[in-house]
């Protein structure tokens, strides 16, 4: 009986030692993972801080606050009579009324007139300063015309006589896409050989990509150059790493501002260094640029 009692006691001690050893190893692993996790968090926070600094450094290059005179001019324009003509330019074929400009006030959808004028100003900016990419900005009416009437309905839009330059020389071609109450941007990116789609709500539309590739750009290249060019290998990219719209209630009214600022930054060759908090400023800045007929 004594031997059996000793055996039982020894087994109990062995079990306790084994349990203690397992617990010790578990603590070692947990401590190692905790230390590793802390280092990862530290690295992640450092990277995040660096990205924030990079964002503001990039943004500060373009985001100059309106001075008092400019701010007063914009507010005065917003409060004038609806039918008053604020700016007109025969060369640009531009006429903007108070009613047109008011779409840049808070919580309003952008209208065709403001979008099209702003795109013309981006093109004029490129002509003034060769540091900007060579781009073409289609009007808000282009895509619907294309899908309803086919290539022949828009063929003369891009004749060299009409444009004053060759579309084939452009690095990027911007196409605003309107879907009921939402604006998106499509880009024919010649430099990177891809068709891109930018949606502030992170949506995707394969039809837009297919139409621009197979029913527009191939025919455009053939019509303007006389050659058949293969673009079937070009990538279709739904851009995800982009500033995202946060006002996701029924009135998703900021989509047009996001859309024109995507085009603004891409035509600079710049990263998309802005966010939802910048939109009120961009509304005022765009109004100021339209009143001055000069994009910065």
């Amino acid at each position: 009986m004594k031997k059996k009692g000793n055996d039982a006691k020894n087994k109990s001690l062995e079990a306790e030692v084994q349990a203690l050893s397992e617990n010790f190893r578990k603590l070692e692993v947990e401590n190692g993972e905790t230390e590793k996790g802390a280092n990862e968090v530290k690295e992640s926070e450092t990277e995040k801080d660096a990205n924030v600094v990079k964002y503001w450094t990039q943004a500060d290059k373009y985001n100059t606050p309106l001075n008092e005179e400019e701010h007063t001019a914009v507010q005065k324009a917003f409060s004038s009579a609806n039918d008053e003509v604020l700016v007109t330019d025969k060369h640009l074929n531009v006429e903007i009324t108070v009613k047109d400009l008011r779409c840049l006030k808070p919580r309003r959808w952008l209208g065709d007139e403001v979008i099209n004028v702003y795109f013309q100003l981006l093109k004029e900016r490129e002509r003034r300063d060769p540091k900007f990419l060579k781009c073409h900005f289609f009007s808000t009416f282009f895509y619907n015309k294309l899908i309803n009437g086919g290539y022949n309905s828009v063929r003369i839009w891009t004749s060299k006589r009409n444009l004053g330059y060759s579309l084939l020389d452009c690095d990027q071609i911007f196409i605003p896409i309107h879907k009921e109450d939402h604006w998106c941007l499509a880009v024919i990116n010649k430099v990177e050989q891809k068709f891109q789609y930018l949606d502030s709500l992170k949506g995707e539309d394969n039809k837009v990509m297919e139409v621009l590739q197979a029913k527009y750009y191939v025919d455009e290249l053939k019509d303007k150059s006389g050659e058949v060019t293969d673009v079937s290998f070009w990538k279709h990219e739904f851009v995800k790493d982009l500033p995202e719209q946060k006002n996701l209630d029924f009135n998703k009214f900021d989509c047009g501002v996001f859309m024109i600022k995507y085009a603004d930054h891409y035509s600079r060759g710049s990263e998309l260094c802005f966010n939802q908090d910048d939109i009120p400023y961009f509304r005022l800045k765009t109004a100021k640029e339209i009143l001055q007929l000069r994009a910065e």
Side-chain angles (χ1 to χ4, degrees):
M1 292 295 294
K2 185 176 180 180
K3 187 174 186 302
K4 289 183 178 179
N6 287 337
D7 289 344
K9 185 176 182 180
N10 288 338
K11 287 181 180 180
S12 176
L13 288 171
E14 287 176 0
E16 288 182 16
V17 170
Q18 184 177 357
L20 287 171
S21 297
E22 289 176 356
N23 287 336
F24 182 74
R25 285 195 297 271
K26 184 178 179 182
L27 286 172
E28 282 185 319
V29 171
E30 288 178 348
N31 287 335
E33 289 180 346
T34 301
E35 183 177 354
K36 179 182 177 184
N39 288 335
E40 288 177 348
V41 169
K42 186 175 180 181
E43 290 174 3
S44 176
E45 290 298 322
T46 301
E47 182 180 355
K48 181 179 178 182
D49 290 343
N51 287 337
V52 169
V53 171
K54 181 179 179 183
Y55 164 77
W56 286 114
T57 302
Q58 288 277 350
D60 286 347
K61 292 195 301 183
Y62 314 124
N63 299 350
T64 305
L66 276 65
N67 60 38
E68 185 176 350
E69 181 181 351
E70 291 167 340
H71 192 273
T72 300
V74 169
Q75 295 304 324
K76 181 180 178 181
F78 283 157
S79 60
S80 299
N82 269 348
D83 59 352
E84 181 179 338
V85 176
L86 295 170
V87 289
T88 181
D89 188 300
K90 292 182 179 180
H91 173 66
L92 294 175
N93 193 27
V94 165
E95 182 177 282
I96 292 292
T97 66
V98 173
K99 184 178 179 180
D100 297 329
L101 195 73
R102 277 186 182 154
C103 71
L104 287 166
K105 294 183 72 174
R107 301 179 66 84
R108 300 197 182 188
W109 280 281
L110 261 59
D112 295 284
E113 296 82 6
V114 160
I115 292 172
N116 292 331
V117 167
Y118 184 72
F119 279 170
Q120 289 184 69
L121 297 183
L122 293 184
K123 186 62 186 180
E124 285 299 305
R125 181 181 68 183
E126 173 201 319
R127 290 189 174 109
R128 292 194 316 267
D129 192 337
K131 75 180 179 185
F132 294 101
L133 298 177
K134 291 182 179 179
C135 299
H136 178 70
F137 303 84
F138 275 114
S139 82
T140 55
F141 308 110
F142 170 78
Y143 185 72
N144 282 339
K145 184 77 171 176
L146 173 65
I147 59 176
N148 290 323
Y151 175 72
N152 284 333
S153 68
V154 296
R155 183 177 65 83
I156 64 170
W157 286 34
T158 53
S159 68
K160 195 168 183 178
R161 180 177 179 180
N162 285 338
L163 295 182
Y165 56 89
S166 172
L167 188 76
L168 304 187
D169 293 335
C170 292
D171 300 313
Q172 296 179 337
I173 301 168
F174 297 97
I175 305 101
I177 307 293
H178 189 249
K179 313 176 107 181
E180 296 182 0
D181 61 349
H182 186 58
W183 287 106
C184 302
L185 182 70
V187 184
I188 300 175
N189 190 328
K190 179 182 175 183
V191 176
E192 298 182 21
Q193 295 188 328
K194 57 178 142 181
F195 296 88
Q196 297 171 292
Y197 189 80
L198 293 84
D199 181 352
S200 58
L201 297 180
K202 302 296 181 72
E204 299 181 3
D205 193 326
N206 285 296
K207 180 183 177 182
V208 171
M209 300 291 215
E210 292 166 1
V211 166
L212 292 177
Q213 181 179 40
K215 297 184 179 180
Y216 176 70
Y217 199 52
V218 169
D219 289 338
E220 178 69 9
L221 292 171
K222 182 179 180 181
D223 182 68
K224 301 302 186 291
S225 70
E227 299 177 0
V228 177
T229 306
D230 181 19
V231 296
S232 61
F233 63 92
W234 284 27
K235 182 180 178 180
H236 288 191
E237 179 185 15
F238 297 102
V239 181
K240 295 302 180 186
D241 184 18
L242 80 176
E244 187 175 357
Q245 187 177 349
K246 299 299 183 182
N247 53 328
L248 303 181
D249 56 6
F250 177 76
N251 295 314
K252 302 178 182 70
F253 39 75
D254 285 334
C255 54
V257 185
F258 276 90
M259 187 266 288
I260 64 173
K261 298 314 290 184
Y262 292 155
D264 174 25
H265 282 65
Y266 266 31
S267 65
R268 297 174 185 272
S270 164
E271 296 180 13
L272 298 174
C273 50
F274 63 93
N275 58 38
Q276 178 73 55
D277 293 338
D278 296 311
I279 298 303
Y281 162 73
F282 284 147
R283 286 179 175 273
L284 292 174
K285 181 184 179 184
T286 304
K288 179 199 77 170
E289 291 176 323
I290 289 175
L291 289 174
Q292 297 177 348
L293 286 178
R294 183 183 179 91
E296 297 173 351

